[in-house]
Amino acid sequence: MTTSVITPEEIIKTGTVVFKKTENINSVPLSYCPGCGHGVVHRLIMEVVEEMGITADTIGVAPVGCSVLAYEFMNIDMQQAAHGRAPAVATGIKRVFPNKYVFTYQGDGDLAAIGTAETIHACNRGENIVIIFVNNGIYGMTGGQMAPTTLEGMKSSTSPYGRDVHTAGYPLKITEMVAMLPGVCYATRQAVHKPTLVNKTKRAIQKAFENQRDNKGTSIVEVLINCNSGWKMTPEQANIWLEENMAVYFPLGDIKK
Amino acid sequence: MEDVKLMKGNEALAEAAIRAGVDAYFGYPITPQSEVIEYLMAQRPENRTGMVVLQAESEVAAINMVYGAAGAGKKVMTSSSSPGISLKLEGISYIAGAELPCLIVNVMRGGPGLGTIQPSQADYFQAVKGGGHGDYRLIVLAPSTVQEMADFVDKSFKLAFKYRNPVMILADGAIGQMMEKVYLPDAKPRLTDDELIEKYDSWATTGRKNGRKQNIITSLNLKSEKQEVHNLDLQAKYKRIEENETESEEIHCEDADYIMVAFGTSARICQKVIQIGREKGMKLGLIRPITLWPYPSKTIAKYAGKVKGFISVEMNAGQMVEDVRLAVDGKTPVIHYGRMGGMIATPGEVLTAVENHLKTL
Ligand SMILES: Cc1ncc(C[n+]2csc(CCOP(=O)(O)OP(=O)(O)O)c2C)c(N)n1
Ligand code: SF4
């Protein structure tokens, strides 16, 4: 018995190509939940790297979190780092390869809780790297626990009655914090739940890599994404919730440029 | 021309690192090994060889900087003392899992906790039995002279790159702090990036050139079947290391009827004990493990059943003695003698312990 496989060519009639996947994204299924923003952010970084012609000179660092397998999706040399330690790992790479482009791809738990010291000190040394900070307000990978960025009153598996700021502290605006440091040349907050925002995020990522090319210091690009699984919403509800809540506490736009 | 200097162990190690063509050092100050980073900074290695020396914000950061730079195929090292090594263990486990070559130096002080800044050998278990999580092994070298502090740097990197495995130099505060005459090794240049790519482009993250597959440094295997294969590969590598790299020194063992086993500073003391004992007519010998892992069990086993007894002399509560007992396998009585908390045994004390043991045999 033969099984017939439908080829992409049969589905997509070529001729009027309006979009093509960058070669820097591997042809494997993404492991992310449908509607999750991680995939979009991956694509934007890899497009920027391809368009800048720096694929052979770019090394990525992905620590523990939902995006720990980023190296399976991004077709560049990559290192997987321990939880929170990506800025230190990136420092190690950049210091011995000062002419390469080095970036980290970190979640909020990773960057703003367990890795706070590594984040602040890499930024304070003005490490000439790009930090992509993907903020979904929750610990996605481990099943939706409270993150340092979980909003006040927001429910998670470890704040089942909503985050109580009197016992759990306040949602941390770490991008604003590191923007104060002289080593940071560019700090911005973006989102990818609408096409116009996707384009803006891509421009921000490109600017960050250009800063690294020009030896300007640390660039941090925070991207708000939904974690529809962790938030227990449909992707559509999650995007609306993101806009009405996350983007209010964490306003979009440049913080330092 | 011979380059002979009077140096502290920590300084000799640092100078040897520059001369070994080390690309980067990442560390955080802690007594009794801060001279390593202080010496390196004072030497302006960025001018001498282009070596990077960076004071990290913590031992945690330092070991992860080592991970990153080692993953790039560079020759990198860090050093610390006991409490700092405890902090590095997560990173060391990742380095072992990802099979990265690097050098970690532990100049031991007394513990547990903040303990004391005085010399100790109480991190033996931590160094040779794992320390961090998971089934992994470090190659562990135990210098007992300032000369070996210098010589073991290049030796460590040769082993580290031969097996793509982290190597630890396990010294103690006495070896780090004391000054001795040292013949400094010849300087060799650092690898250029082209040479590095030629040697390590099959695995290191040097950037994915057109046509080559991507290189990934990771210790993660979500599928158990794959992780088990990875573990089996690691175990096979460890077996090769055990077969090929075990090293020890036998001192006056030929005619000995009682053998001491000791490493580092304790081995220095035991050499004095041999001298005093032999003057009194006691036929004492010493086995000094140079590699603590792999352990020279076979060398010890040669004498099991032949001598009257063994004593393991250590600056701890009795850690290596377990490996001596495993090697002796019940054929001969084995005891331990140790001081703790930064105290160092005198040769007289050790000799008394030996005499008391001999009376019971
Ligand atoms: C030392 C350590 N502690 C805890 C964990 C478990 N852990 C894995 S991912 C994670 C949280 C990840 O959250 P975040 O960084 O926000 O990324 P996301 O998964 O939401 O994208 C935790 C706690 C770990 N892997 N290592
Ligand atoms: S758990 Fe959340 S962050 Fe992780 S893939 Fe799913 S939606 Fe994305």
Side-chain angles (χ1 to χ4, degrees), chain A residues 38 64-67 83 107-110 114 136 138-142, chain B residues 90 94:
Chain A
H38 271 307
V64 182
C66 269
S67 48
H83 195 18
D108 43 89
D110 191 84
I114 194 166
N136 57 12
I138 206 159
Y139 285 8
M141 187 191 208
T142 39
Chain B
E90 180 202 41
Y94 274 70

Side-chain angles (χ1 to χ4, degrees), chain B residues 118-147:
Chain B
Q118 301 304 327
S120 162
Q121 294 179 324
D123 304 346
Y124 178 87
F125 281 154
Q126 187 199 54
V128 308
K129 306 287 178 192
H133 58 284
D135 276 315
Y136 76 87
R137 294 289 189 179
L138 301 175
I139 299 172
V140 183
L141 302 177
S144 79
T145 58
V146 171
Q147 186 64 52

Side-chain angles (χ1 to χ4, degrees), chain A residues 116-163:
Chain A
T116 313
E118 285 79 5
T119 303
I120 290 180
H121 285 279
C123 288
N124 193 46
R125 288 189 301 268
E127 292 297 339
N128 194 23
I129 57 172
V130 172
I131 295 176
I132 309 288
F133 167 29
V134 183
N135 180 0
N136 57 12
I138 206 159
Y139 285 8
M141 187 191 208
T142 39
Q145 295 85 6
M146 184 175 67
T149 46
T150 298
L151 297 183
E152 182 172 359
M154 185 175 163
K155 286 182 182 162
S156 73
S157 66
T158 52
S159 58
Y161 308 107
R163 180 179 191 148

Side-chain angles (χ1 to χ4, degrees), chain B residues 167-311:
Chain B
V167 175
M168 176 175 275
I169 292 182
L170 189 69
D172 60 68
I175 304 284
Q177 291 297 324
M178 76 182 173
M179 292 183 90
E180 283 185 320
K181 184 171 80 174
V182 53
Y183 295 85
L184 290 167
D186 291 339
K188 44 179 174 184
R190 292 172 45 241
L191 286 189
T192 63
D193 281 358
D194 285 343
E195 288 167 335
L196 181 144
I197 287 170
E198 174 143 353
K199 282 184 117 152
Y200 307 127
D201 211 34
S202 60
W203 60 270
T205 56
T206 56
R208 180 179 68 81
K209 266 70 71 209
N210 233 344
R212 107 137 146 67
K213 65 158 188 41
Q214 63 175 146
N215 284 343
I216 298 163
I217 301 296
T218 183
S219 59
L220 173 71
N221 282 302
L222 285 176
K223 291 207 168 68
S224 304
E225 296 81 359
K226 273 183 83 180
Q227 180 61 20
E228 186 176 49
V229 169
H230 176 53
N231 277 123
L232 290 170
D233 287 347
L234 285 177
Q235 293 304 317
K237 174 172 85 172
Y238 299 151
K239 202 158 172 32
R240 283 201 307 279
I241 298 173
E242 279 182 313
E243 277 159 12
N244 299 316
E245 310 299 345
T246 308
E247 224 183 296
S248 63
E249 189 185 5
E250 290 157 70
I251 301 167
H252 291 300
C253 289
E254 330 73 62
D255 66 339
D257 58 14
Y258 190 93
I259 286 182
M260 297 178 282
V261 187
F263 65 96
T265 294
S266 300
R268 297 288 289 269
I269 295 160
C270 287
Q271 273 167 275
K272 189 75 190 163
V273 178
I274 294 181
Q275 194 195 324
I276 314 171
R278 286 199 173 242
E279 277 162 17
K280 293 171 87 174
M282 297 163 71
K283 287 188 177 163
L284 300 181
L286 169 67
I287 295 173
R288 176 173 81 92
I290 293 170
T291 53
L292 293 175
W293 194 88
Y295 195 70
S297 309
K298 284 188 185 145
T299 306
I300 293 173
K302 276 195 310 195
Y303 300 97
K306 301 211 173 80
V307 296
K308 290 185 199 152
F310 287 89
I311 187 169

